[in-house]
mmCIF file of all heavy atoms in Angstrom:
data_model
loop_
_atom_site.group_PDB
_atom_site.id
_atom_site.type_symbol
_atom_site.label_atom_id
_atom_site.label_comp_id
_atom_site.label_asym_id
_atom_site.label_seq_id
_atom_site.Cartn_x
_atom_site.Cartn_y
_atom_site.Cartn_z
ATOM 1 N N GLU A 1 185.478 136.072 33.679
ATOM 2 C CA GLU A 1 185.315 137.328 32.954
ATOM 3 C C GLU A 1 185.060 137.127 31.517
ATOM 4 O O GLU A 1 184.293 137.789 30.828
ATOM 5 C CB GLU A 1 186.589 138.149 33.168
ATOM 6 C CG GLU A 1 186.833 138.720 34.586
ATOM 7 C CD GLU A 1 187.360 137.637 35.483
ATOM 8 O OE1 GLU A 1 187.795 136.552 35.012
ATOM 9 O OE2 GLU A 1 187.325 137.894 36.757
ATOM 10 N N GLU A 2 185.831 136.130 30.888
ATOM 11 C CA GLU A 2 185.581 135.904 29.442
ATOM 12 C C GLU A 2 184.132 135.318 29.257
ATOM 13 O O GLU A 2 183.464 135.714 28.219
ATOM 14 C CB GLU A 2 186.614 134.806 28.973
ATOM 15 C CG GLU A 2 187.968 135.390 28.873
ATOM 16 C CD GLU A 2 189.059 134.338 28.625
ATOM 17 O OE1 GLU A 2 188.755 133.159 28.929
ATOM 18 O OE2 GLU A 2 190.140 134.641 28.121
ATOM 19 N N ALA A 3 183.670 134.463 30.136
ATOM 20 C CA ALA A 3 182.364 133.888 29.981
ATOM 21 C C ALA A 3 181.277 134.950 30.124
ATOM 22 O O ALA A 3 180.304 134.960 29.430
ATOM 23 C CB ALA A 3 182.180 132.790 31.048
ATOM 24 N N SER A 4 181.484 135.882 31.094
ATOM 25 C CA SER A 4 180.591 137.003 31.238
ATOM 26 C C SER A 4 180.583 137.909 30.027
ATOM 27 O O SER A 4 179.508 138.388 29.588
ATOM 28 C CB SER A 4 180.897 137.786 32.478
ATOM 29 O OG SER A 4 180.823 137.005 33.629
ATOM 30 N N ALA A 5 181.761 138.127 29.430
ATOM 31 C CA ALA A 5 181.827 138.932 28.202
ATOM 32 C C ALA A 5 181.044 138.298 27.095
ATOM 33 O O ALA A 5 180.349 138.943 26.288
ATOM 34 C CB ALA A 5 183.258 139.135 27.818
ATOM 35 N N LEU A 6 181.092 137.022 26.936
ATOM 36 C CA LEU A 6 180.364 136.320 25.910
ATOM 37 C C LEU A 6 178.858 136.457 26.190
ATOM 38 O O LEU A 6 178.099 136.595 25.208
ATOM 39 C CB LEU A 6 180.790 134.803 25.906
ATOM 40 C CG LEU A 6 182.034 134.423 25.134
ATOM 41 C CD1 LEU A 6 182.345 132.955 25.373
ATOM 42 C CD2 LEU A 6 181.835 134.656 23.652
ATOM 43 N N ALA A 7 178.446 136.300 27.388
ATOM 44 C CA ALA A 7 177.054 136.404 27.727
ATOM 45 C C ALA A 7 176.542 137.844 27.297
ATOM 46 O O ALA A 7 175.428 137.945 26.675
ATOM 47 C CB ALA A 7 176.777 136.186 29.183
ATOM 48 N N ALA A 8 177.328 138.853 27.565
ATOM 49 C CA ALA A 8 176.932 140.220 27.242
ATOM 50 C C ALA A 8 176.883 140.410 25.700
ATOM 51 O O ALA A 8 175.941 141.013 25.180
ATOM 52 C CB ALA A 8 177.847 141.221 27.907
ATOM 53 N N ALA A 9 177.849 139.848 25.019
ATOM 54 C CA ALA A 9 177.871 140.001 23.549
ATOM 55 C C ALA A 9 176.739 139.221 22.928
ATOM 56 O O ALA A 9 176.111 139.762 21.998
ATOM 57 C CB ALA A 9 179.207 139.452 23.041
ATOM 58 N N LEU A 10 176.406 138.076 23.435
ATOM 59 C CA LEU A 10 175.310 137.282 22.835
ATOM 60 C C LEU A 10 173.988 137.983 23.138
ATOM 61 O O LEU A 10 173.065 137.932 22.266
ATOM 62 C CB LEU A 10 175.263 135.873 23.475
ATOM 63 C CG LEU A 10 176.469 134.949 23.018
ATOM 64 C CD1 LEU A 10 176.506 133.706 23.885
ATOM 65 C CD2 LEU A 10 176.286 134.617 21.510
ATOM 66 N N ALA A 11 173.865 138.594 24.290
ATOM 67 C CA ALA A 11 172.645 139.346 24.560
ATOM 68 C C ALA A 11 172.408 140.508 23.628
ATOM 69 O O ALA A 11 171.263 140.878 23.359
ATOM 70 C CB ALA A 11 172.645 139.888 25.994
ATOM 71 N N ALA A 12 173.484 141.091 23.059
ATOM 72 C CA ALA A 12 173.326 142.282 22.206
ATOM 73 C C ALA A 12 172.902 141.806 20.861
ATOM 74 O O ALA A 12 172.448 142.632 20.048
ATOM 75 C CB ALA A 12 174.659 142.991 22.076
ATOM 76 N N ALA A 13 172.888 140.519 20.533
ATOM 77 C CA ALA A 13 172.549 140.031 19.218
ATOM 78 C C ALA A 13 171.020 139.863 19.284
ATOM 79 O O ALA A 13 170.504 138.708 19.562
ATOM 80 C CB ALA A 13 173.228 138.701 18.868
ATOM 81 N N ASP A 14 170.216 140.865 19.009
ATOM 82 C CA ASP A 14 168.773 140.702 19.028
ATOM 83 C C ASP A 14 168.178 140.178 17.702
ATOM 84 O O ASP A 14 168.937 139.832 16.858
ATOM 85 C CB ASP A 14 168.103 142.041 19.410
ATOM 86 C CG ASP A 14 168.331 143.108 18.406
ATOM 87 O OD1 ASP A 14 168.801 142.760 17.295
ATOM 88 O OD2 ASP A 14 168.105 144.323 18.732
ATOM 89 N N ALA A 15 166.846 140.184 17.633
ATOM 90 C CA ALA A 15 166.240 139.597 16.444
ATOM 91 C C ALA A 15 166.616 140.257 15.143
ATOM 92 O O ALA A 15 166.428 139.725 14.026
ATOM 93 C CB ALA A 15 164.725 139.544 16.654
ATOM 94 N N SER A 16 167.022 141.552 15.183
ATOM 95 C CA SER A 16 167.317 142.319 14.008
ATOM 96 C C SER A 16 168.765 142.158 13.597
ATOM 97 O O SER A 16 169.158 142.562 12.525
ATOM 98 C CB SER A 16 167.062 143.815 14.238
ATOM 99 O OG SER A 16 167.895 144.329 15.223
ATOM 100 N N THR A 17 169.581 141.447 14.365
ATOM 101 C CA THR A 17 171.004 141.188 14.077
ATOM 102 C C THR A 17 171.131 140.191 12.965
ATOM 103 O O THR A 17 170.463 139.166 13.016
ATOM 104 C CB THR A 17 171.759 140.832 15.346
ATOM 105 O OG1 THR A 17 171.525 141.767 16.360
ATOM 106 C CG2 THR A 17 173.236 140.612 15.033
ATOM 107 N N PRO A 18 171.978 140.410 12.021
ATOM 108 C CA PRO A 18 172.261 139.343 11.018
ATOM 109 C C PRO A 18 172.679 138.037 11.641
ATOM 110 O O PRO A 18 173.407 137.979 12.661
ATOM 111 C CB PRO A 18 173.340 139.876 10.166
ATOM 112 C CG PRO A 18 173.246 141.421 10.299
ATOM 113 C CD PRO A 18 172.798 141.614 11.733
ATOM 114 N N TYR A 19 172.135 136.941 11.150
ATOM 115 C CA TYR A 19 172.469 135.606 11.634
ATOM 116 C C TYR A 19 171.979 135.424 13.118
ATOM 117 O O TYR A 19 172.586 134.616 13.836
ATOM 118 C CB TYR A 19 173.931 135.254 11.490
ATOM 119 C CG TYR A 19 174.388 135.358 10.043
ATOM 120 C CD1 TYR A 19 175.059 136.528 9.579
ATOM 121 C CD2 TYR A 19 174.194 134.385 9.175
ATOM 122 C CE1 TYR A 19 175.430 136.648 8.289
ATOM 123 C CE2 TYR A 19 174.643 134.492 7.819
ATOM 124 C CZ TYR A 19 175.240 135.638 7.409
ATOM 125 O OH TYR A 19 175.677 135.731 6.093
ATOM 126 N N ALA A 20 170.889 136.077 13.492
ATOM 127 C CA ALA A 20 170.436 136.013 14.888
ATOM 128 C C ALA A 20 170.023 134.574 15.243
ATOM 129 O O ALA A 20 170.255 134.078 16.359
ATOM 130 C CB ALA A 20 169.218 136.898 15.151
ATOM 131 N N GLY A 21 169.436 133.833 14.283
ATOM 132 C CA GLY A 21 169.052 132.441 14.567
ATOM 133 C C GLY A 21 170.266 131.621 14.834
ATOM 134 O O GLY A 21 170.274 130.765 15.748
ATOM 135 N N ALA A 22 171.353 131.774 14.033
ATOM 136 C CA ALA A 22 172.508 130.976 14.174
ATOM 137 C C ALA A 22 173.279 131.355 15.559
ATOM 138 O O ALA A 22 173.944 130.548 16.107
ATOM 139 C CB ALA A 22 173.437 131.204 13.050
ATOM 140 N N VAL A 23 173.053 132.650 15.961
ATOM 141 C CA VAL A 23 173.697 133.046 17.190
ATOM 142 C C VAL A 23 173.094 132.278 18.340
ATOM 143 O O VAL A 23 173.828 131.862 19.280
ATOM 144 C CB VAL A 23 173.431 134.557 17.459
ATOM 145 C CG1 VAL A 23 173.754 134.922 18.912
ATOM 146 C CG2 VAL A 23 174.270 135.421 16.487
ATOM 147 N N ARG A 24 171.800 132.006 18.340
ATOM 148 C CA ARG A 24 171.161 131.245 19.376
ATOM 149 C C ARG A 24 171.745 129.792 19.500
ATOM 150 O O ARG A 24 172.093 129.280 20.571
ATOM 151 C CB ARG A 24 169.663 131.180 19.244
ATOM 152 C CG ARG A 24 168.936 132.466 19.533
ATOM 153 C CD ARG A 24 167.473 132.335 19.652
ATOM 154 N NE ARG A 24 166.893 132.003 18.373
ATOM 155 C CZ ARG A 24 166.462 132.870 17.452
ATOM 156 N NH1 ARG A 24 166.662 134.163 17.724
ATOM 157 N NH2 ARG A 24 165.961 132.461 16.292
ATOM 158 N N THR A 25 171.859 129.126 18.325
ATOM 159 C CA THR A 25 172.382 127.744 18.340
ATOM 160 C C THR A 25 173.820 127.686 18.710
ATOM 161 O O THR A 25 174.340 126.835 19.445
ATOM 162 C CB THR A 25 172.146 127.050 17.018
ATOM 163 O OG1 THR A 25 172.766 127.822 16.001
ATOM 164 C CG2 THR A 25 170.623 126.920 16.763
ATOM 165 N N ALA A 26 174.592 128.717 18.272
ATOM 166 C CA ALA A 26 176.036 128.788 18.666
ATOM 167 C C ALA A 26 176.138 129.003 20.163
ATOM 168 O O ALA A 26 177.092 128.444 20.785
ATOM 169 C CB ALA A 26 176.695 129.939 17.918
ATOM 170 N N ALA A 27 175.295 129.842 20.728
ATOM 171 C CA ALA A 27 175.312 130.094 22.162
ATOM 172 C C ALA A 27 175.117 128.787 22.967
ATOM 173 O O ALA A 27 175.697 128.565 24.009
ATOM 174 C CB ALA A 27 174.314 131.116 22.552
ATOM 175 N N GLN A 28 174.161 128.013 22.452
ATOM 176 C CA GLN A 28 173.863 126.732 23.116
ATOM 177 C C GLN A 28 175.087 125.787 23.085
ATOM 178 O O GLN A 28 175.349 125.124 24.111
ATOM 179 C CB GLN A 28 172.650 126.059 22.468
ATOM 180 C CG GLN A 28 171.327 126.809 22.798
ATOM 181 C CD GLN A 28 170.173 126.337 21.909
ATOM 182 O OE1 GLN A 28 170.363 125.949 20.760
ATOM 183 N NE2 GLN A 28 168.992 126.292 22.488
ATOM 184 N N LYS A 29 175.800 125.826 21.972
ATOM 185 C CA LYS A 29 176.946 124.939 21.906
ATOM 186 C C LYS A 29 178.064 125.397 22.805
ATOM 187 O O LYS A 29 178.713 124.640 23.496
ATOM 188 C CB LYS A 29 177.449 124.906 20.410
ATOM 189 C CG LYS A 29 176.503 124.201 19.494
ATOM 190 C CD LYS A 29 177.000 124.210 18.061
ATOM 191 C CE LYS A 29 176.027 123.566 17.064
ATOM 192 N NZ LYS A 29 176.522 123.679 15.686
ATOM 193 N N ILE A 30 178.253 126.760 22.833
ATOM 194 C CA ILE A 30 179.313 127.297 23.721
ATOM 195 C C ILE A 30 178.917 127.049 25.176
ATOM 196 O O ILE A 30 179.825 126.615 25.971
ATOM 197 C CB ILE A 30 179.456 128.811 23.465
ATOM 198 C CG1 ILE A 30 180.022 129.078 22.083
ATOM 199 C CG2 ILE A 30 180.364 129.451 24.518
ATOM 200 C CD1 ILE A 30 180.054 130.533 21.693
ATOM 201 N N ALA A 31 177.672 127.224 25.553
ATOM 202 C CA ALA A 31 177.265 126.970 26.945
ATOM 203 C C ALA A 31 177.485 125.498 27.284
ATOM 204 O O ALA A 31 177.867 125.195 28.422
ATOM 205 C CB ALA A 31 175.733 127.347 27.080
ATOM 206 N N ALA A 32 177.197 124.600 26.392
ATOM 207 C CA ALA A 32 177.385 123.155 26.684
ATOM 208 C C ALA A 32 178.856 122.819 26.870
ATOM 209 O O ALA A 32 179.230 121.841 27.520
ATOM 210 C CB ALA A 32 176.843 122.316 25.590
ATOM 211 N N ALA A 33 179.748 123.605 26.208
ATOM 212 C CA ALA A 33 181.176 123.316 26.347
ATOM 213 C C ALA A 33 181.847 123.999 27.507
ATOM 214 O O ALA A 33 182.996 123.700 27.862
ATOM 215 C CB ALA A 33 181.886 123.744 25.021
ATOM 216 N N MET A 34 181.175 124.963 28.171
ATOM 217 C CA MET A 34 181.762 125.659 29.351
ATOM 218 C C MET A 34 181.566 124.857 30.604
ATOM 219 O O MET A 34 180.552 124.197 30.800
ATOM 220 C CB MET A 34 181.153 127.057 29.483
ATOM 221 C CG MET A 34 181.661 128.057 28.495
ATOM 222 S SD MET A 34 181.233 129.739 28.944
ATOM 223 C CE MET A 34 179.405 129.704 28.898
ATOM 224 N N THR A 35 182.512 124.854 31.480
ATOM 225 C CA THR A 35 182.406 124.129 32.711
ATOM 226 C C THR A 35 182.844 125.028 33.870
ATOM 227 O O THR A 35 183.456 126.076 33.683
ATOM 228 C CB THR A 35 183.331 122.901 32.711
ATOM 229 O OG1 THR A 35 184.675 123.324 32.497
ATOM 230 C CG2 THR A 35 182.895 121.910 31.626
ATOM 231 N N GLY A 36 182.535 124.590 35.090
ATOM 232 C CA GLY A 36 183.062 125.218 36.325
ATOM 233 C C GLY A 36 182.664 126.671 36.579
ATOM 234 O O GLY A 36 181.520 127.032 36.235
ATOM 235 N N PRO A 37 183.564 127.427 37.133
ATOM 236 C CA PRO A 37 183.267 128.846 37.514
ATOM 237 C C PRO A 37 182.864 129.687 36.296
ATOM 238 O O PRO A 37 182.034 130.605 36.393
ATOM 239 C CB PRO A 37 184.544 129.376 38.110
ATOM 240 C CG PRO A 37 185.274 128.133 38.586
ATOM 241 C CD PRO A 37 184.923 127.066 37.601
ATOM 242 N N ALA A 38 183.392 129.389 35.096
ATOM 243 C CA ALA A 38 183.055 130.173 33.886
ATOM 244 C C ALA A 38 181.562 129.948 33.596
ATOM 245 O O ALA A 38 180.897 130.937 33.272
ATOM 246 C CB ALA A 38 183.930 129.720 32.738
ATOM 247 N N SER A 39 181.113 128.747 33.635
ATOM 248 C CA SER A 39 179.730 128.425 33.333
ATOM 249 C C SER A 39 178.802 129.172 34.318
ATOM 250 O O SER A 39 177.834 129.717 33.951
ATOM 251 C CB SER A 39 179.464 126.948 33.289
ATOM 252 O OG SER A 39 178.118 126.674 33.039
ATOM 253 N N ALA A 40 179.193 129.113 35.585
ATOM 254 C CA ALA A 40 178.361 129.701 36.609
ATOM 255 C C ALA A 40 178.307 131.274 36.469
ATOM 256 O O ALA A 40 177.262 131.861 36.601
ATOM 257 C CB ALA A 40 178.924 129.336 37.977
#
């Protein structure tokens, strides 16, 4: 549920959102750190 909430929150950060570029790289780091059912 927490992983899904993060996915939804990150999706809301579109190109007009402040620090949108940094959001993308932060998302990649978080995704790389998630494992198991949460990642799926």
Side-chain angles (χ1 to χ4, degrees):
E1 290 78 13
E2 290 170 338
S4 297
L6 278 172
L10 291 168
D14 62 16
S16 63
T17 304
Y19 302 97
V23 167
R24 286 193 294 273
T25 56
Q28 289 169 324
K29 292 177 183 179
I30 292 172
M34 286 194 296
T35 59
S39 179

